[in-house]
């Protein structure tokens, strides 16, 4: 492995592949915080030039955390298809980049190659891609998954309905649920981040979601994004009806420990969903990730945040999830400083997720201490649709009153579908038409009137008198 | 300052200009009354004849912009249970102008509260001396949390020199992620804590202000002052509901590198959350119990 190059008359000699990988990243405040970023723009390019000559085999042999020490590494390495790996192992990262972009390389061929890729390879090629490369490459790859409905089909674009509430108030949550569905959100999942992470409360919300879904015959899936153990308890002790099981994950064992999880725990959760979950499946898991979480729990082993993020997807695919999304701008400016870094990271994460073979969405978002605003996030959302992203979030006017950050609003998915000529998941699309909220893929004047769900309720009550 | 009657009329005017076409007179009156009730607490300077009403003062709970809703009363009633931006209608698959501008106004307030500094005049008026962490500017503060957890050299000297040693309780104020939160709440909370502690015969040290402070710098301050209990009043990361939310973090015999779980937190202090005077009394109570039980955070059984 050659770790030395000259560029613009200067000689650069890197000490390790880890250093090359870190310095080859586009500028991120988190890599600076970790004190591993390139010193300047030239050194960054020198690192990219060195990385372009590294082979995929060399990347496989240098996982970010040693196999013996880390179960995430073990899961990624043990899951590889060795036959497919051998077909690509002699390629350099530069050649692999061109292979992905080549007109003869179809999305199906990339998806097949994906089974022989470790996360370090996925991260490495991402570092050599410009933003348009990331969009171009990701757009080729189609990843579908099935829970009650099938997400990721060509021509579709979906949204999670995220009805978060400051106190988990049942009426307040349902008000958001109604308005979200009336605007065409929720075909990916109806999923709430609870304030109260107790099994009893989680079960209560899951029951109310299930009841609403059944009453209105909505073809979608439900989830409450509590800790995996809480959800398991809600299902076992309180008979909660759950279509998807959620968990935040990290790219190292130590990072997962900070989230209070292990691989075995996720396996147990998935087994429970197979036996007692309400969904038809087979994909019954939902994961969230985000660059920087490993550094924030000192679980990055000296590696850069992009590589650690790639490892989240390598870990996630083991559990055949229905949904995986990066919560890209939630972590704050010490990891992603401004809109430029957030947009870049959103495109990187989406590309890496798809290249790892998972059904990928993105919570395009920002906090108020970051130098970004709603215009930036609308830009990112548009770029993600161009890249073939499976889903984004839907929050009332993009303002999450509980998590205190801004994401994409209920109106965004609908607008993006109209702009790009896309539709929701077919069954959900038909349901929207049946309800009168959309016609031929466009919102009707009735869309946004959440009171439709109450009107019917009242009429039924009157009928009963 | 405007009086309550003027405020009601501003809100009435804003609501009158909104599209509520099918709402009957009686219901419209109810909505207006509800809006005006909430408006009473928002006193804003500068509203006068010939000036457009302040769109940021409209309560999103009582705003209902959906055109020709099927069952407006029922959804209006449900909407009262949520602070989310609901019932906002649409223009095509985009937002109506008023909620669009309200969102922008809320975000501008949130950003300004992060990126602006606490007014030095306010610090002077509070009779506080000012020290700084190892952050040299706002950018460094936002990107290097590690430096915001330590005082700079002059800061260490100033605290050593000016603060009374070994107090039972050391209270100080810090900007954190919202300068607006500190200027809106800290004076009342500080006064209320001091009064509360006085009534319990608990003596307090010399209060001061820390610029570019993260919560963790309180542990260095504990070690410098050798206080038993340290309490910082600090601005929270702002959301769009309010940019003025403040928290108090309290430790018993804190040390640098202690687990975060050993801090006790009173959060959500602002005029629509826990009001400052009430928060101060509550904090004084907590401090009293900490001194009795010699513990804080998860180790403290209240």
């Amino acid at each position: 492995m050659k770790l030395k190059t000259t560029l613009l008359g200067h000689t650069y000699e890197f000490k390790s592949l880890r250093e090359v990988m870190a310095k080859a990243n586009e500028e991120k405040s988190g890599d600076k915080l970790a004190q591993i970023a390139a010193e300047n723009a030239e050194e960054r390019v020198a690192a990219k030039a060195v990385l372009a000559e590294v082979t995929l085999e060399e990347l496989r042999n240098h996982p970010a955390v040693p196999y013996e020490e880390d179960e995430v590494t073990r899961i990624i390495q043990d899951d590889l298809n060795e036959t497919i790996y051998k077909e690509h192992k002699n390629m350099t990262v530069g050649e692999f980049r061109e292979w992905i972009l080549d007109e003869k390389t179809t999305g199906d061929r990339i998806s097949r190659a994906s089974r022989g890729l470790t996360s370090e390879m996925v991260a490495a090629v991402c570092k050599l891609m410009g933003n348009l490369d990331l969009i171009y490459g990701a757009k080729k790859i189609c990843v579908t998954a099935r829970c009650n409905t099938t997400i990721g089909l060509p021509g579709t674009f979906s949204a999670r309905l995220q009805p978060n509430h400051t106190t988990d108030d049942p009426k307040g949550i349902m008000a958001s649920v109604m308005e979200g569905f009336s605007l065409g959100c929720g075909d990916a999942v109806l999923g709430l981040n609870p304030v109260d992470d107790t099994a009893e409360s989680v079960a209560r919300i899951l029951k109310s979601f299930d009841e609403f879904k059944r009453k209105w015959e909505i073809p979608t899936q439900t989830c409450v994004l509590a800790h995996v153990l809480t959800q398991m308890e809600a299902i076992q002790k309180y008979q909660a009806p759950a279509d998807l099981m959620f968990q935040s994950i990290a790219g190292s064992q130590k990072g997962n420990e900070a989230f209070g999880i292990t691989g075995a725990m996720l396996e147990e959760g998935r087994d429970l969903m197979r036996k007692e979950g309400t969904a038809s499946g087979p994909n019954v898991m939902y994961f969230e990730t985000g660059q920087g979480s490993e550094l924030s729990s000192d679980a990055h082993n000296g590696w850069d945040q992009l590589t650690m993020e790639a490892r989240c997807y390598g870990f996630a695919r083991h559990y055949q999830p229905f949904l995986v999304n990066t919560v890209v701008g939630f972590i704050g400016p010490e990891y992603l400083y401004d809109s430029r870094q957030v947009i870049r990271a959103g495109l990187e994460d989406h590309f890496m997720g798809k290249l790892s073979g998972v059904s990928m969405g993105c919570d395009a978002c920002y906090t108020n201490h970051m130098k970004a605003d709603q215009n930036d996030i609308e830009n990112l959302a548009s770029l993600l649709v161009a890249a073939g992203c499976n889903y984004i979030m839907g929050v009332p006017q993009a303002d999450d009153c509980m998590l205190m950050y801004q994401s994409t609003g209920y109106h965004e998915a609908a607008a993006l579908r109209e702009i790009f000529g896309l539709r929701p998941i077919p069954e959900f699309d038909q349901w929207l038409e049946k309800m009168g909220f959309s016609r031929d893929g466009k919102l009707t004047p009735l869309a946004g009137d959440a009171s439709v769900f109450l009107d019917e309720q009242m009429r039924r009550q009157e009928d009963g008198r | 300052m405007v009086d309550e009657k003027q405020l009601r009329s501003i809100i009435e005017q804003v609501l009158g200009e909104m599209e509520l076409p099918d709402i009957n007179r009686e219901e419209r009156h109810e909505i207006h009354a509800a809006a005006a009730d909430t408006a009473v607490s928002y006193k804003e300077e500068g509203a006068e004849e010939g000036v457009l009403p302040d769109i940021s003062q409209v309560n999103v709970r009582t705003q209902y912009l959906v055109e020709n809703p099927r069952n407006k009363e029922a959804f209006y009633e449900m909407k009262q249970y949520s602070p989310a931006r609901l019932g906002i209608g649409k223009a095509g698959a985009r937002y109506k102008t008023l909620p669009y501008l309200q969102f922008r106004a809320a975000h501008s307030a949130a950003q300004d509260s992060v990126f602006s500094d606490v007014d030095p005049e306010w610090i002077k008026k509070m009779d506080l001396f000012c020290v700084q962490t190892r952050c040299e500017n706002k950018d460094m503060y936002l990107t290097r949390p590690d430096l915001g957890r330590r005082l700079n050299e002059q800061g260490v000297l100033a605290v050593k020199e000016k603060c009374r040693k070994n107090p039972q309780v050391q209270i100080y104020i810090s900007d954190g992620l919202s300068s607006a939160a500190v200027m809106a709440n800290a004076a009342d909370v500080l006064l209320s804590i001091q009064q509360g502690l006085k009534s319990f015969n608990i003596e307090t040290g010399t209060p001061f202000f820390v610029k570019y402070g993260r919560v963790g710098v309180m542990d260095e301050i504990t070690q410098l002052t050798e206080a038993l209990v340290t309490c910082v009043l600090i601005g929270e990361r702002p959301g769009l509901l309010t940019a003025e939310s403040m928290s108090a973090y309290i430790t018993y015999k804190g040390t640098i590198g202690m687990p975060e779980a050993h801090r006790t937190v009173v959060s959500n202090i602002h005029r629509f959350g826990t009001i400052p005077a009430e928060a101060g009394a509550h904090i004084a109570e907590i401090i009293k119990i900490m001194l009795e039980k010699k513990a804080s955070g998860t180790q403290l059984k209240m």
Side-chain angles (χ1 to χ4, degrees):
Chain A
M1 203 165 28
K2 291 196 187 83
L3 298 178
K4 193 172 175 180
T5 190
T6 54
L7 181 80
L8 297 159
H10 292 107
T11 301
Y12 294 91
E13 186 169 8
F14 301 101
K15 285 182 223 63
S16 61
L17 184 60
R18 168 163 58 186
E19 187 185 359
V20 173
M21 288 284 269
K23 292 188 168 175
N25 271 346
E26 295 298 307
E27 187 179 357
K28 303 270 174 61
S29 50
D31 290 335
K32 287 187 188 169
L33 181 64
Q35 299 178 334
I36 55 173
E39 302 270 320
N40 53 49
E42 285 181 19
E43 192 189 22
R44 174 168 299 118
V45 181
K48 284 180 196 283
V50 167
L51 184 58
E53 298 302 319
V54 172
T55 66
L56 300 191
E57 184 176 23
E58 285 162 338
L59 283 158
R60 182 170 188 192
N61 294 337
H62 293 84
V65 196
Y67 184 91
E68 299 71 30
E69 288 172 24
D70 187 272
E71 78 163 349
V72 172
T73 303
R74 288 195 290 275
I75 284 172
I76 294 167
Q77 297 273 349
D78 295 350
D79 276 355
L80 283 209
N81 178 307
E82 297 292 340
T83 307
I84 297 171
Y85 162 70
K86 280 180 193 130
E87 289 172 22
H88 297 91
K89 69 174 188 176
N90 294 324
M91 274 188 181
T92 63
V93 179
E95 287 164 352
F96 184 49
R97 174 183 173 279
E98 289 182 0
W99 180 82
I100 289 171
L101 300 174
D102 194 286
E103 64 274 8
K104 291 189 291 298
T105 308
T106 60
D108 285 347
R109 287 187 69 192
I110 299 174
S111 294
R112 181 176 173 279
S114 163
R115 302 184 58 208
L117 300 178
T118 63
S119 301
E120 286 76 9
M121 302 175 200
V122 169
V125 75
C126 181
K127 292 166 201 272
L128 297 189
M129 296 270 192
N131 284 8
L132 194 56
D133 301 336
L134 293 173
I135 296 170
Y136 188 82
K139 177 67 181 175
K140 288 190 180 190
I141 310 166
C142 171
V143 184
T144 62
R146 182 165 180 86
C147 185
N148 291 321
T149 57
T150 302
I151 196 164
L153 293 168
T156 68
F157 175 59
S158 302
R160 164 180 160 195
L161 201 173
Q162 180 172 310
N164 295 349
H165 189 283
T166 43
T167 59
D168 289 344
D169 180 272
K171 277 189 179 176
I173 290 171
M174 290 320 288
S176 286
V177 169
M178 290 173 187
E179 190 147 323
F181 278 125
S182 82
L183 284 159
C185 275
D187 56 337
V189 60
L190 167 59
L192 174 110
N193 299 88
V195 176
D196 182 356
D197 194 295
T198 61
E200 199 174 356
S201 175
V202 168
R204 175 177 59 77
I205 298 164
L206 279 168
K207 281 175 187 166
S208 71
F209 283 180
D210 187 62
E211 199 177 297
F212 191 79
K213 190 184 81 172
R214 283 169 194 277
K215 179 177 176 188
W216 294 95
E217 300 172 330
I218 310 172
T220 187
Q221 25 281 322
T222 56
C223 186
V224 173
L225 288 73
H227 191 274
V228 65
L229 292 179
T230 311
Q231 295 167 86
M232 287 173 71
E233 192 187 342
I235 293 168
Q236 290 173 307
K237 197 167 160 194
Y238 299 97
Q239 290 76 49
D243 289 330
L244 283 170
M245 179 157 287
F246 169 83
Q247 183 56 49
S248 289
I249 57 168
S252 68
Q253 183 177 330
K254 198 176 168 197
N256 282 329
E257 281 163 6
F259 285 130
I261 60 154
T262 62
M265 208 183 276
L266 294 182
E267 202 63 77
E268 217 178 300
R270 188 161 67 130
D271 276 347
L272 181 69
M273 291 303 285
R274 286 204 196 105
K275 293 193 182 98
E276 296 184 38
T278 40
S280 60
N283 309 108
V284 290
M285 301 299 279
Y286 174 11
F287 299 124
E288 280 189 341
T289 68
Q291 288 188 27
S293 67
E294 295 82 8
L295 175 58
S296 79
S297 56
D298 193 28
H300 62 302
N301 197 36
W303 281 68
D304 61 281
Q305 63 189 38
L306 186 76
T307 304
M308 297 314 284
E309 178 71 8
R311 290 166 55 90
C312 294
Y313 308 127
F315 178 59
R317 73 178 165 189
H318 183 73
Y319 304 94
Q320 297 172 307
F322 179 68
L323 306 172
V324 179
N325 64 259
T326 170
V327 190
V328 68
F330 188 67
I331 194 159
E334 59 268 45
Y335 301 92
L336 294 169
Y337 179 66
D338 58 8
S339 57
R340 187 178 173 205
Q341 293 186 13
V342 169
I343 288 171
R344 171 73 194 180
L347 295 175
E348 288 171 341
D349 294 355
H350 174 255
F351 171 82
M352 294 196 299
K354 276 185 134 178
L355 188 56
S356 305
V358 297
S359 162
M360 195 65 197
C362 180
D363 186 346
C365 61
Y366 61 107
T367 56
N368 289 317
H369 61 320
M370 184 178 270
K371 290 193 171 167
D373 65 17
Q374 202 60 29
N375 290 333
D376 298 313
I377 250 49
E378 289 169 8
N379 288 351
L380 174 57
S382 306
L383 295 173
L384 285 165
V385 183
C389 181
N390 281 4
Y391 66 98
I392 56 171
M393 305 296 128
V395 181
Q397 208 185 350
D399 173 16
D400 191 308
C401 59
M402 191 277 275
L403 293 172
M404 304 262 275
Y405 77 124
Q406 287 89 251
S407 178
T408 41
Y410 289 154
H411 298 55
E412 269 73 299
L416 289 164
R417 284 175 187 143
E418 290 185 29
I419 295 164
F420 286 88
L422 300 170
R423 305 287 279 261
I425 289 173
E427 301 93 311
F428 190 85
D429 193 22
Q430 286 157 20
W431 177 80
L432 286 176
E433 290 220 4
K434 186 184 89 183
M435 292 296 293
F437 295 134
S438 82
R439 190 175 308 127
D440 302 327
K442 278 183 75 168
L443 292 183
T444 61
L446 186 66
D449 180 8
S451 77
V452 164
F453 295 106
L454 297 162
D455 195 31
E456 186 73 14
Q457 250 170 7
M458 201 180 68
R459 216 189 66 212
R460 284 184 190 177
Q461 275 168 11
E462 276 169 3
D463 288 347
R465 268 181 210 148
Chain B
M1 295 288 278
V2 290
D3 63 24
E4 188 178 320
K5 201 174 151 198
Q6 275 172 298
L7 264 162
R8 278 179 188 276
S9 82
I10 293 165
I11 299 300
E12 294 266 333
Q13 191 190 334
V14 173
L15 280 168
E17 283 165 12
M18 290 176 193
E19 296 168 69
L20 294 167
D22 275 5
I23 297 185
N24 63 41
R25 285 195 66 82
E26 195 187 316
E27 190 183 341
R28 181 178 282 231
H29 178 77
E30 269 176 34
I31 296 176
H32 287 198
D37 281 347
T38 329
V40 174
S41 50
Y42 296 80
K43 298 223 164 150
E44 186 64 29
E45 285 172 54
E48 55 188 76
E49 288 292 314
V51 178
L52 290 168
D54 184 342
I55 50 163
S56 71
Q57 302 300 311
V58 178
N59 183 354
V60 295
R61 257 181 229 256
T62 51
Q63 174 173 269
Y64 194 21
L65 303 177
V66 177
E67 291 170 29
N68 309 310
R70 288 281 177 87
N71 191 341
K72 51 198 178 278
E73 287 157 50
F75 190 71
Y76 182 84
E77 197 261 326
M78 273 192 84
K79 200 170 116 56
Q80 300 314 304
Y81 294 88
S82 174
R85 294 168 191 270
L86 294 170
I88 57 172
K90 63 185 191 59
R94 302 305 300 143
Y95 302 103
K96 286 177 154 305
T97 306
L98 188 58
Y100 172 74
L101 293 174
Q102 287 165 344
F103 177 97
R104 293 298 301 262
H107 183 241
S108 67
Q111 287 228 299
D112 286 350
S113 70
V114 174
F115 294 103
S116 65
D117 290 328
V118 170
D119 185 358
E121 284 302 310
W122 182 88
I123 299 170
K124 213 197 269 174
K125 216 173 75 192
M126 289 286 293
D127 204 18
L128 302 172
F129 70 94
C130 181
V131 297
Q132 196 166 318
T133 62
R134 294 185 188 173
C135 298
E136 286 158 23
N137 52 53
K138 209 65 163 189
D139 265 4
M140 198 183 277
Y141 172 69
L142 290 172
T143 52
R144 293 294 303 270
D146 52 330
L147 299 180
R149 292 187 199 111
R150 298 303 298 267
L151 293 177
N152 65 16
E153 272 177 48
Q154 302 95 297
V156 171
L157 288 176
V159 169
K160 276 187 182 167
E161 230 173 71
K162 297 184 186 174
C163 286
R164 202 158 62 79
K165 266 282 178 88
N166 308 309
Q168 279 178 289
V169 184
Q170 174 67 51
I171 307 170
Y172 74 96
I173 297 170
S174 186
D175 44 10
L177 286 166
S178 174
S179 297
V182 167
M183 291 197 282
N185 306 300
D188 290 346
V189 176
L190 180 63
L191 186 68
S192 167
I193 299 175
Q194 284 170 332
Q195 283 174 347
L197 292 178
K198 206 171 164 194
S199 75
F200 300 137
N201 287 318
I202 295 168
E203 37 97 26
T204 55
T206 319
F208 57 97
F209 182 82
V210 176
K211 190 173 181 177
Y212 305 137
R214 296 267 173 184
V215 170
V217 77
M218 71 189 296
D219 303 332
E220 185 175 17
I221 288 164
T222 303
Q223 295 189 347
L224 290 171
T225 58
E226 293 174 36
L228 288 175
V229 168
T230 303
C231 170
V232 56
L233 305 177
I234 189 165
E236 286 177 15
R237 191 189 87 200
L240 296 200
L241 285 182
T242 176
E244 294 184 351
S245 190
M246 194 179 80
S247 288
Y249 286 80
I250 318 163
T251 56
Y252 181 81
K253 286 193 178 173
T255 50
I256 292 172
M258 67 184 266
E260 290 303 309
H262 291 179
R263 300 184 207 285
T264 297
V265 192
V266 177
S267 61
N268 209 27
I269 304 169
H270 56 96
R271 58 186 166 167
F272 310 118
T274 305
I275 58 167
E278 212 175 280
H282 181 50
I283 292 164
E285 195 87 29
I286 290 172
I287 291 173
K288 177 172 172 261
I289 297 168
M290 274 184 188
L291 286 167
E292 284 164 8
K293 307 214 168 166
K294 303 185 184 339
S296 58
T298 48
Q299 295 182 316
L300 179 69
K301 303 276 175 282
M302 296 288 281

